[in-house]
DNA sequence: ACCTACTTGCTGACCGCTAGGTAGGTTGGT
DNA sequence: ACCAACCTACCTAGCGGTCAGCAAGTAGGT
């Protein structure tokens, strides 16, 4: 049992604000570099140079490299969440029309989709630091889509003889896989068009 | 202009055979470790320890770490090729029935699919050592599937108003994506069942 | 039969470099 | 006195890679 003691900061508001901004700068630089060269392939020195501070400054703010990675991933998740909600909307068949928005979002900033693709692949094993995080993330996204599709079933937009869990997994799989091919071979693959066709195929499959 | 001189080996057949076996041992150990911890995350020392030789022995056989990686990847490609051909068979609609074979193959030896998933993700950028290799690999696989599906069109098993390239990309994407989710979350995902449903959905979509 | 030249597999010692992380000090503000 | 944001200097571990040399076997010349 411990009482929270009201702790007044012994540093100026300006100093505190400066630290907050610096932390964001670092997170953004790290995001770029992790996306480009992966977590294991990126050194703290490189990130520090990008920001214009010393390597020790990063450790001062985040403690360890792994904590920094956590911050990066959390920051990105928070930024992406609104877009995902916007696409899903009120669920049902209509969300398939808005799927290409996600592709456009990724095409515009290629580094961002790379970040998660690379990080997921670097955390496939249970002992990897972000394994649980990504496992949860995928489960949550799948459940969110299941819920959205179920709403569509209740509005009789979607046939009710389909396994929504399996369908959601297949939808996510299709998007991930297309993104992979696009990253590997940008000139050969039109991501937005790919998403559109994927959405159309699933729409036909699910329409009541 | 140079004449090829018949060069007799100055080492015994036994010695030569021993080297060949050792090289395979190393490739197999490297395959396991690259799959588990990625290329960047795996040290030569670890591989050497697994085999029971010195780190220098690996360099003796393969020259550099990157050459070893090349050997690993080529070895796996050669081993997987027959299965892929068996699944595709004479093309057409029938190949969808045999798609779960690939899933069963991967479920049986989890490390193998991890290897390529991890390596692909580590080589997404043009400057990465295996970027071109994987780019070519995906293109070749896609073209192979296109050809197989076209055969199905000619036998009027498959409707002829579909974009076969896009369909092939979507098929590969679906399989890759499902594999990713399965690796991240093996208990939550039935890979074989996922492949079966993916195949069924595409079969329905394509059937004439 | 013996020597020399050469090849292959491999070790042990070592090198330069980079990595993440630590310790102690400085500055400027509450 | 205390605090946050730094920096300089440094530590240690690990990395890929080099090099000289040895053991064991083969080929050809004498």
């Amino acid at each position: 049992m411990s009482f929270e003691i009201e702790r007044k900061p012994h540093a100026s508001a300006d100093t505190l604000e400066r630290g907050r901004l610096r932390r964001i700068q670092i997170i953004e630089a790290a995001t770029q570099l992790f996306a480009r060269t992966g977590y294991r392939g990126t050194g703290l020195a490189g990130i520090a140079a990008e920001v214009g501070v010393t390597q020790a400054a990063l450790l001062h703010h985040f403690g360890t490299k792994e904590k920094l990675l956590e911050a990066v991933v959390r920051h990105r998740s928070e930024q992406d969440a609104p877009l995902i909600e916007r696409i899903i909307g009120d669920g049902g068949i209509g969300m398939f029309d808005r799927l290409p928005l996600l592709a456009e979002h990724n095409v515009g900033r290629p580094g961002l989709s790379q970040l998660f693709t690379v990080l997921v692949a670097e955390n496939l094993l249970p002992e990897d630091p972000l394994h649980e995080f990504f496992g949860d993330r995928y489960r949550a996204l799948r459940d969110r889509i299941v819920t959205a599709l179920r709403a569509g079933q209740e509005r009789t937009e979607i046939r009710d003889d389909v396994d929504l869990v399996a369908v959601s997994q297949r939808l996510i799989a299709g998007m991930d896989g297309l993104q992979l091919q696009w990253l590997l071979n940008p000139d050969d693959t039109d991501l937005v068009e790919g998403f559109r066709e994927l959405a159309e195929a699933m729409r036909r499959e699910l329409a009541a």
Side-chain angles (χ1 to χ4, degrees), chain A:
Chain A
M1 259 175 239
S2 73
F3 291 89
E4 290 294 321
I5 296 174
E6 193 163 325
R7 193 175 287 281
K8 281 187 182 159
H10 285 230
S12 79
D14 271 14
T15 304
L16 256 34
E17 179 65 9
R18 189 176 163 212
R20 214 182 56 83
L21 287 177
R22 186 67 94 197
R23 238 168 267 136
I24 292 178
Q25 271 184 36
I26 294 169
I27 285 175
E28 264 158 17
T31 301
Q32 296 300 320
L33 286 173
F34 285 162
R36 281 198 174 77
T37 44
Y39 174 68
R40 295 190 175 120
T42 304
L44 291 178
I47 302 169
E50 195 80 12
V51 178
V53 292
T54 320
Q55 198 192 103
L58 305 201
L59 276 333
H60 166 70
H61 284 293
F62 295 95
T64 68
K65 192 191 178 189
E66 204 175 306
K67 290 271 179 62
L68 170 58
L69 173 63
E70 250 181 71
V72 164
V73 163
R74 197 174 314 119
H75 188 243
R76 268 248 61 79
S77 292
E78 283 166 15
Q79 287 205 330
D80 286 350
L83 178 66
I84 291 170
E85 276 312 307
R86 203 177 124 219
I87 287 170
I88 290 180
D90 62 348
I93 271 289
M95 62 181 260
F96 291 107
D97 297 329
R98 293 182 294 273
L99 219 57
L101 285 179
L102 195 55
E104 280 161 24
H105 178 75
N106 288 336
V107 170
R109 271 156 282 173
L112 299 192
S113 37
Q114 247 174 75
L115 176 69
F116 271 81
T117 307
V118 171
L119 290 185
V120 165
E122 276 183 323
N123 287 276
L124 289 176
L125 291 156
E127 62 263 35
D128 291 326
L130 290 185
H131 177 84
E132 206 181 339
F133 172 85
F134 281 118
D136 290 351
R137 193 186 138 89
Y138 269 79
R139 255 193 301 269
L141 180 59
R142 189 199 59 194
D143 291 347
R144 184 69 191 82
I145 293 174
V146 168
T147 307
L149 292 179
R150 184 135 48 217
Q153 277 182 335
E154 275 155 24
R155 273 181 267 130
T156 68
E157 294 167 7
I158 293 175
R159 43 193 298 176
D160 56 2
D161 62 341
V162 289
D163 180 349
L164 290 187
V165 173
V167 164
S168 302
Q169 278 180 332
R170 234 165 56 224
L171 175 61
I172 298 170
M175 294 190 293
D176 279 349
L178 285 174
Q179 224 168 105
L180 206 84
Q181 287 179 55
W182 171 69
L183 284 171
L184 219 72
N185 216 321
D187 302 327
D188 239 39
T189 316
D190 184 336
L191 189 65
V192 178
E193 181 62 14
F195 268 49
R196 219 186 45 75
E197 284 175 31
L198 172 66
E200 219 168 271
M202 299 209 71
R203 186 199 242 287
R204 276 196 302 270
E205 186 188 340
L206 296 180

